[in-house]
Amino acid sequence: MTPNDLDALLRETRTFAPSEEFRRQANYSDESIYEEAARDPEAYWAKEAEHLTWFQKFESVCRWDPPHAQWFIGGKLNAAYNCVDRHTLNHRKNKAAIIWEGEPGDSRVLTYDMLRREVDKAAHALKQLGVQKGDRVTIYLPMVPELPIAMLACAKIGAMHSVVFGGFSAQALKDRILDAGSKLLITADGGWRRGKVIPLKQNADEAVEGTPIEKVVVVKRVGDAANAPMHAERDVWWHDLIAAAPTKPFPAEPMDSEDYLFLLYTSGTTGKPKGIAHSTGGYLVGVNTSMRTVFDLKDDDVFFCTADIGWVTGHTYIVYGPLSAGATVVMYEGSPDYPDRDRYWAIAEKYGATILYTAPTSIRMFMKWGPQYVEKHDLSTLRLLGSVGEPINPEAWMWYHKYVGQERCPIVDTWWQTETGCAMIAPLPGIVTTKPGSATKPVPGISVDILDDDGNPVPPGHGGNLVITKPWPSMLRTVWGDDERFRKTYFGKFEGIYLPGDGAYRDQDGYYWIVGRLDDVINVSGHRIGTAEVESALVAHPAVAEAAVIGRAHEVKGQAITAFVILKEGQSASDDLVAELKQFVVEQIGAMARPEEIIFAADLPKTRSGKIMRRLLRDIAEGRVVGDTTTLADPAVVEQLKSQYKDQE
Ligand code: PRX
């Protein structure tokens, strides 16, 4: 948090109670839901589970054998059936499921019935390519309709998808393919971003070398075959497969509630990303419930989530949440400033979005651009706004409220993670009075606390470790291939209690305020990046001896990456080397990990046991008085670094 944010936090004391008009139409407007769920969480979740279609009803609700939970035991269901097929059997058959807009302005609407046919053809095609229940399929696609179709086709077969965000590099894609052990990759010839082609196929070609990938399915999006020729033995066009696929319905595989639905990789405190494994039944019950509670979803809502499906927000709030609830989702391929800075608002107006879900980093960017882009459009259909990805600073909250919500729409600030599957701390908009900057209270059925490092609850106003004290349906089941890491990372500090890695405090009214990560994970524009990942990318460069990476406060991105680098003997610092190192990180990880600045240092502040003191590096980068240096092996290092930092700024 910057000193400015802190000021705003101290100044902003307004609270926002739900309007009478919103409350009257809300799915939940009575506090008793909280007490009811707290009294008997299992009974609460069992009741919510009835909103799904089960091929076989579960026998018991939860078995908790810390750190492993099972939910809806004995139940059988299929996620794709729940997201698609079942809606074609009722009044939603011809309702728009996905309204898609491409960056160049092309668009496509898929009704539930059309989506069912597309998913079924894709499932037939994948099955013919050898994909079976339990297999992993890696998907590296831009934001095109084939992405949710491919995910749902996997789900229909019972194969796990592992979607890799299109902004990741070839190397990052390769690491994730190898970890998941996928034999099939689905990609595209490219994607559009600010009018330029993102060379996905080239990255894919590079990534699959030396992996178990046998087949690469290629969606034609940009017509860039010249730059990414097809490999006759290995590559096949998506459209050829679909054209040849049987048109008969594909029978949904009855999955055990605990069978995995997907893997999604996220950064941790080591260089190796974690494959977060989500279950079928629990995940789907969790995400489906949050559509009704947090998002107050109605049948006529048009839900516009601006996230990329490559991240968990897109998995949960573009694909599985809205579709399992039979909603209409708006999906946009490209950049918010293409062709102009009003693109989101133009889309919201064009399709009559009623709910908008975006990230604080985007809101801060909109603030910088000015309200004129929002004001150009008629946003009167909007009735609810959401925020996710990082703490929202009160100024951004107020701006969102004033210009986008036109002081009419409640804002749900939703705290959650890849691991939690769906929103955990967020207001129910018809009940909870909001305070700008606070995600408010845990949602019904979720038990949260703040503990000190010894495991004692802290009093109001005191910071500590945010924890989730009871299992919940959509919690991750394991880290793929490394259950020990799952146990240690999330349940190693407090026995039987889930540790998200975030710091938080509770105010006198019991509201939660998330402060940020307590571990070595940086949140850049809502993307989680491990300092260790960037450090290992940097030291892989021949000129670099050692690197320490920190996140420093950034006006728009929330945090930006600052890398302190010690060069090898004989190497000399230069602007060219700075540019080269930044590019090197982009090639190893992806553009979102590009360091904002690289500071060449002669030495790094370390404790006597050799641990880099990142806290001090942050103090230097944020221009603060440097904190306690008494545990340093050589306190002079800090003074030297401070002057180097100033010189190079
Ligand atoms: O630090 C928290 C922050 O984002 C982390 C989770 O990142 P990821 O798994 O990539 O998922 C992002 C989308 C759910 C959390 O540990 N975070 C997310 N939402 C919020 C937040 N911090 C504060 N307020 C939020 N609303």
Side-chain angles (χ1 to χ4, degrees), residues 552 617-626 645-646 649:
R552 67 154 176 87
L617 293 176
R618 262 194 304 272
D619 288 345
I620 293 169
E622 290 175 358
R624 263 193 307 274
V625 177
V626 176
Y645 187 82
K646 279 213 190 79
E649 236 181 343

Side-chain angles (χ1 to χ4, degrees), residues 580-609:
E580 189 179 320
L581 290 176
K582 287 183 180 177
Q583 190 50 29
F584 194 71
V585 174
V586 172
E587 279 158 23
Q588 306 267 312
I589 306 174
M592 65 282 191
R594 181 196 302 273
E596 189 84 5
E597 57 214 349
I598 290 187
I599 309 297
F600 294 114
D603 211 344
L604 292 169
K606 288 185 187 156
T607 60
R608 285 176 204 108
S609 61

Side-chain angles (χ1 to χ4, degrees), residues 162-409:
S162 165
V163 179
V164 178
F165 172 57
F168 275 115
S169 67
Q171 184 58 46
L173 174 61
K174 184 188 195 113
D175 294 342
R176 285 157 181 74
I177 290 171
L178 285 172
D179 191 79
S182 305
K183 284 183 289 191
L184 190 104
L185 172 69
I186 305 177
T187 188
D189 60 348
W192 292 113
R193 191 81 192 170
R194 291 199 181 94
K196 291 208 186 76
V197 171
I198 302 176
L200 293 171
K201 176 65 165 54
Q202 281 177 42
N203 289 347
D205 284 345
E206 205 181 315
V208 299
E209 288 294 314
T211 71
I213 293 290
E214 291 164 6
K215 286 271 171 222
V216 178
V217 179
V218 187
V219 173
K220 192 179 219 163
R221 170 63 186 138
V222 295
D224 193 30
N227 285 321
M230 299 289 276
H231 294 227
E233 294 291 300
R234 189 197 67 192
D235 299 352
V236 31
W237 287 110
W238 169 279
H239 58 262
D240 287 343
L241 280 179
I242 297 299
T247 50
K248 61 177 195 269
F250 185 96
E253 184 70 30
M255 303 296 283
D256 192 274
S257 175
E258 277 302 311
D259 280 338
Y260 297 135
L261 177 60
F262 65 81
L263 286 182
L264 184 58
Y265 284 85
T266 189
S267 295
T269 48
T270 70
K272 191 172 153 49
K274 296 175 281 199
I276 303 301
H278 275 292
S279 73
T280 306
Y283 172 79
L284 212 58
V285 169
V287 308
N288 179 263
T289 302
S290 68
M291 294 307 301
R292 282 183 298 284
T293 53
V294 177
F295 290 106
D296 190 50
L297 190 84
K298 308 291 189 314
D299 221 1
D300 54 0
D301 273 316
V302 176
F303 192 87
F304 181 18
C305 169
T306 67
D308 192 290
I309 292 178
W311 306 106
V312 75
T313 305
H315 276 59
T316 297
Y317 293 112
I318 296 180
V319 184
Y320 291 109
L323 297 182
S324 71
T328 296
V329 278
V330 174
M331 175 179 169
Y332 168 55
E333 179 184 31
S335 171
D337 56 357
Y338 191 88
D340 204 352
R341 292 172 166 178
D342 66 339
R343 191 66 188 269
Y344 282 0
W345 321 120
I347 291 171
E349 178 179 8
K350 182 169 168 191
Y351 302 114
T354 58
I355 304 175
L356 175 77
Y357 194 29
T358 194
T361 183
S362 307
I363 299 166
R364 289 191 296 264
M365 200 168 57
F366 302 142
M367 284 171 79
K368 253 180 111 165
W369 292 343
Q372 64 277 20
Y373 296 103
V374 187
E375 285 166 344
K376 243 167 76 180
H377 294 278
D378 174 9
L379 298 180
S380 57
T381 53
L382 284 177
R383 64 178 196 90
L384 178 65
L385 305 177
S387 171
V388 63
E390 55 179 312
I392 178 163
N393 47 316
E395 285 132 308
W397 198 104
M398 290 307 302
W399 195 93
Y400 199 26
H401 170 72
K402 183 171 176 193
Y403 293 106
V404 184
Q406 293 160 357
E407 297 180 352
R408 173 187 75 240
C409 306

